Amino acid sequence: MTEKTAITPPTHTAPPAKFSHGVRKGNILQVAGQVGFLPAVDGQAPTPAGPTLREQTLQTFANVKAVLEAGGASWDDVMMMRVYLTDTAHFAEMNEIYDAYFEEQGLKEAPAARTTVYVGLPAGLLIEIDALAVLS
């Protein structure tokens, strides 16, 4: 049986509890919910990329991508993404950012995706994204 491997890119802080930023088992990679924190700086608390949805979304994509790459995957391996917003008013803007980002990434086929509103993110955070990748 294939062992599970925890994934924590060097840009990420150690999780505050016993969980991983990502876990790979065989050709499956689950990226845990990522938020728009800037890359980790030793001795400093995590810092949001900025107050806007655009800043946080682009940083969240960068954080998801870092976990994917650390686990040997790319955006083209992503089968499913779940996006959690804190405000229904952000749907249209997030969709615009999402479309433009993946066009820039040259994504061959869009993954299945789901967006929902979730009000339980820490104060100041506007978006969280997780992803499931299957590597060939």
Side-chain angles (χ1 to χ4, degrees):
M1 182 167 261
T2 306
E3 289 188 32
K4 290 192 305 185
T5 303
I7 309 291
T8 299
T11 54
H12 288 51
T13 59
K18 192 170 175 85
F19 64 86
S20 302
H21 288 288
V23 174
R24 181 170 174 179
K25 184 171 183 174
N27 68 335
I28 306 288
L29 173 60
Q30 176 65 56
V31 178
Q34 301 294 302
V35 295
F37 286 142
L38 293 169
V41 176
D42 285 339
Q44 291 185 9
T47 305
T52 70
L53 181 66
R54 172 171 292 286
E55 291 166 313
Q56 288 189 27
T57 300
L58 292 175
Q59 186 62 53
T60 300
F61 284 144
N63 293 343
V64 171
K65 185 176 181 181
V67 178
L68 289 169
E69 290 176 348
S74 72
W75 284 119
D76 283 318
D77 297 311
V78 174
M79 301 297 293
M80 177 68 180
M81 286 180 43
R82 285 172 291 273
V83 178
Y84 303 93
L85 298 172
T86 59
D87 188 335
T88 56
H90 291 157
F91 271 89
E93 182 181 2
M94 192 284 300
N95 285 337
E96 289 175 14
I97 297 165
Y98 181 100
D99 288 347
Y101 177 83
F102 285 112
E103 185 174 322
E104 289 174 13
Q105 297 299 305
L107 188 66
K108 294 175 190 151
E109 295 293 333
R114 171 175 205 275
T115 303
T116 190
V117 174
Y118 174 70
V119 295
L121 292 178
L125 293 176
L126 306 173
I127 187 168
E128 179 177 329
I129 299 174
D130 69 51
L132 176 66
V134 178
L135 292 75
S136 45

